[in-house]
Amino acid sequence: YKPKKVIKMDLVSLIGGMLSPKIRKSSKKYIQIGCGNNIQENFENLDFYPMKLREIFKSKHIGHDLRKPLPYESKKFEGAFSEHTLEHLYYDEAINLLKEIKRVLKSGSIFRCTVPDLKKYNDFYNGNIRNEFFDKFIYKAQAFFNLTQNYQHKSIWDYEILSEKLTEVGFTDVCEKKYKDGENSNLLLDLEFRRSETLYIECKS
């Protein structure tokens, strides 16, 4: 982040938090954390507040700072999905978000979480993987820039650390999955263009 952008984001977060309800009522069955433009029906679609004034009235998602507690009562949703979101938070912020996701899920609900996979990037660096996604990098170091710094990334993940942190916050049955493969078909919102670099994990609340 550049200092001006940090200040702007914190200011937007402050104003957005003041104008948003502390607890939201919802009839949706599921919640999507860090939705981007992947808006889904029957989901509460959360992402950061619009950063430009003209975007406020065009925004289709619910504005929320994911560093803050989720604005829902406990045991509200029957499933959760998050794609390429945790890496935009520092580790302590990400762990707090995982705790919040568990809190708002009903017992036994599935949480499907995806992140850029350090192992796949390492395999590419060592010459053990080739595909259209990684072939776009002229230099291998560019791939690691993409993983660690591009798009305002603040943390990196592989199965070892993510599965351990999910277990620590109370999730059970943590397991690695594949693209579009999971226990609850309603949560298979994986985007194709991210497939080659992604770690897919599911667990139960």
Side-chain angles (χ1 to χ4, degrees), residues 35-36 39 45-50 58-64:
C35 62
I39 304 298
N45 297 285
L46 272 66
D47 213 319
F48 196 74
Y49 303 100
K58 296 180 181 180
S59 176
K60 296 181 180 180
H61 70 268
I62 295 168
H64 184 73

Side-chain angles (χ1 to χ4, degrees), residues 135-166:
D135 285 349
K136 69 184 180 183
F137 298 112
I138 299 174
Y139 303 103
K140 292 180 178 180
Q142 290 176 319
F144 274 88
F145 164 77
N146 189 71
L147 175 68
T148 62
Q149 300 174 66
N150 206 15
Y151 308 112
Q152 301 167 1
H153 289 179
K154 297 179 179 177
S155 57
I156 56 176
W157 302 85
D158 60 10
Y159 181 78
E160 179 184 24
I161 187 172
L162 183 51
S163 62
E164 182 173 319
K165 297 308 175 185
L166 287 167

Side-chain angles (χ1 to χ4, degrees), residues 38-63:
N38 189 21
I39 304 298
Q40 298 289 324
E41 294 184 9
N42 207 26
F43 279 77
E44 288 285 288
N45 297 285
L46 272 66
D47 213 319
F48 196 74
Y49 303 100
M51 292 291 287
K52 297 180 180 179
L53 186 61
R54 65 175 179 271
E55 296 175 348
I56 294 177
F57 302 105
K58 296 180 181 180
S59 176
K60 296 181 180 180
H61 70 268
I62 295 168

